[in-house]
Amino acid sequence: MFSFFRKKTAPAAAPAAPAAATVDSTSVADEVGASPAAVVATEAVVHPVERPQAPRSSWLGRLKAGLKRTGSNLAQVFTGTRIDDELYEELEAALLMADTGVAATEFLLADLKRRVKDTQATDPAKVKALLADALAELLEPLEAELTIGRVATPTVMMVAGVNGAGKTTSIGKLTRHLAGGGAKVLLAAADTFRAAAREQLAVWADRNQVEIVSQAGGDPAAVCFDAVSAGKARGCDVVIADTAGRLATQAHLMEELRKIRRSVGRAMDGAPHEVLLVVDGNTGQNALAQVKAFDAVLGLTGLIVTKLDGTAKGGVLAAIALWGRERVAAGGAVVPVYFIGVGEALEDLETFDAREFAQALLN
């Protein structure tokens, strides 16, 4: 079972599975005080699913396999028998190839040299272990637990990202585990202009036996407002808004995100409680640029890093961690990595653990 959220009270016993039903727009509008044309809500067909819970050790195996492309280049550095300038130069090149970035690479090399000196290490295998320690320590501030019901109910999550990052799929997986843990979840399909996006989210809603608020061609901010209002009225634990994918360079679309955020805040004081960005691990250093750009517009509270199994650029997490340190030094806060993904299967999205990641990368 995932342990990424806690509820203040134990969930009530699940009711008997209802027959497939559709809630028409008029009934939803009466409930939330919106116009009938503004909301379309559907209640999913119930398909009870057995959920065998894979142990954490199973996840570690998949993580190691997923990070193999990134880790293989780093591991080759430590196949020799000497610790010299050539080893550090090869390690520097490998870190840069993994898209760790210049600043994070310099930071890790300086930290590693200090550790080698302090421990008087003479074996390259020992140096690799010391690098794992240095990387884990750098990444540790990115660890955080996503908690629902801590501030208010429902917990409202706004999810953003560029096209193709795996945003809607990540929302589906997150919803699956939240619903499986007893949380009542409502989805908002705020990508109103792309039919495929609404359909994809509707499929996840059906699989997860949760409701979805959507509208074809409408105002994304209005859809999110109605979804939050409906979530409050229905006693939901979580409302998740799936916004349209966009590039951070598209100023008018980034302004639309600001509008959605304001609309959600008007629907519920203090919302959104979580503003998550889904980033594709394949994009390397561009992922860090995305984090900075979306944070400037929305004020991010967490990250989901996907597709680490298809890239040799997994070192970007070190760059994100170093940026987090700089934010803290300037009086800000770290933007944590709540989850990482190494595949398409449901169990391929897991909570981020710095030590696990460092060891999997360098094993």
Side-chain angles (χ1 to χ4, degrees):
M1 171 65 69
F2 267 39
S3 60
F4 58 76
F5 72 93
R6 297 185 297 271
K7 297 187 68 177
K8 292 184 178 179
T9 58
T22 299
V23 181
D24 64 32
S25 59
T26 302
S27 63
V28 177
D30 290 341
E31 183 178 2
V32 302
S35 62
V39 182
V40 176
T42 60
E43 195 164 324
V45 180
V46 175
H47 300 289
V49 178
E50 293 295 326
R51 296 185 178 88
Q53 301 299 329
R56 192 78 181 184
S57 58
S58 175
W59 159 251
L60 287 175
R62 292 193 304 277
L63 180 61
K64 288 178 182 179
L67 294 174
K68 186 176 181 179
R69 292 184 62 184
T70 302
S72 60
N73 291 332
L74 292 171
Q76 290 176 5
V77 174
F78 301 99
T79 56
T81 58
R82 299 175 58 187
I83 302 173
D84 52 18
D85 290 342
E86 184 177 353
L87 181 146
Y88 289 119
E89 289 173 2
E90 290 178 0
L91 178 57
E92 179 180 17
L95 288 170
L96 291 173
M97 286 180 62
D99 256 2
T100 304
V102 174
T105 295
E106 292 176 348
F107 179 90
L108 285 171
L109 285 174
D111 190 12
L112 177 62
K113 290 177 180 179
R114 177 187 60 79
R115 292 171 187 265
V116 170
K117 181 179 180 180
D118 291 346
T119 61
Q120 298 183 347
T122 58
D123 180 9
K126 174 63 176 176
V127 176
K128 184 170 73 168
L130 292 174
L131 177 60
D133 291 339
L135 181 58
E137 186 176 302
L138 175 61
L139 295 176
E140 187 175 4
L142 296 181
E143 293 181 14
E145 183 181 63
L146 178 60
T147 306
I148 67 171
R150 179 177 54 192
V151 178
T153 301
T155 297
V156 180
M157 301 181 189
M158 179 178 171
V159 184
V162 303
N163 296 307
K167 175 170 51 62
T168 303
T169 300
S170 296
I171 290 173
K173 293 178 179 179
L174 177 58
T175 301
R176 179 69 173 271
H177 292 293
L178 285 167
K184 185 177 181 181
V185 182
L186 178 67
L187 301 180
D191 188 348
T192 59
F193 297 101
R194 194 166 65 92
R198 297 192 305 275
E199 292 168 0
Q200 183 183 6
L201 195 65
V203 168
W204 278 109
D206 180 74
R207 289 177 181 172
N208 297 326
Q209 307 165 29
V210 302
E211 291 182 88
I212 178 172
V213 174
S214 109
Q215 179 189 3
D219 180 8
V223 171
C224 291
F225 181 93
D226 291 333
V228 174
S229 299
K232 291 166 60 180
R234 299 174 191 180
C236 293
D237 298 299
V238 184
V239 176
I240 305 178
D242 180 17
T243 63
R246 68 203 69 212
L247 296 176
T249 54
Q250 296 172 309
H252 66 292
L253 294 180
M254 296 300 281
E255 181 57 37
E256 182 183 79
L257 285 178
R258 289 191 178 96
K259 181 181 176 182
I260 293 173
R261 200 185 200 290
R262 292 193 299 267
S263 179
V264 169
R266 286 194 294 269
M268 181 178 182
D269 289 340
H273 308 103
E274 294 285 350
V275 182
L276 308 181
L277 180 69
V278 179
V279 293
D280 181 349
N282 283 292
T283 59
Q285 281 295 297
N286 189 42
L288 176 59
Q290 292 173 27
V291 172
K292 291 180 177 179
F294 279 88
D295 181 61
V297 172
L298 294 173
L300 299 176
T301 63
L303 305 175
I304 300 175
V305 183
T306 64
K307 305 182 183 181
L308 286 170
D309 57 316
T311 182
K313 301 179 179 181
V316 69
L317 285 178
I320 293 173
L322 187 62
W323 172 69
R325 286 195 173 203
E326 294 169 355
R327 280 171 58 91
V328 171
V334 171
V335 178
V337 175
Y338 284 135
F339 308 102
I340 56 175
V342 293
E344 292 295 326
L346 178 67
E347 61 271 17
D348 290 335
L349 183 73
E350 254 291 2
T351 49
F352 175 69
D353 182 288
R355 175 62 60 177
E356 285 181 354
F357 184 88
Q359 291 180 342
L361 186 66
L362 291 163
N363 190 333

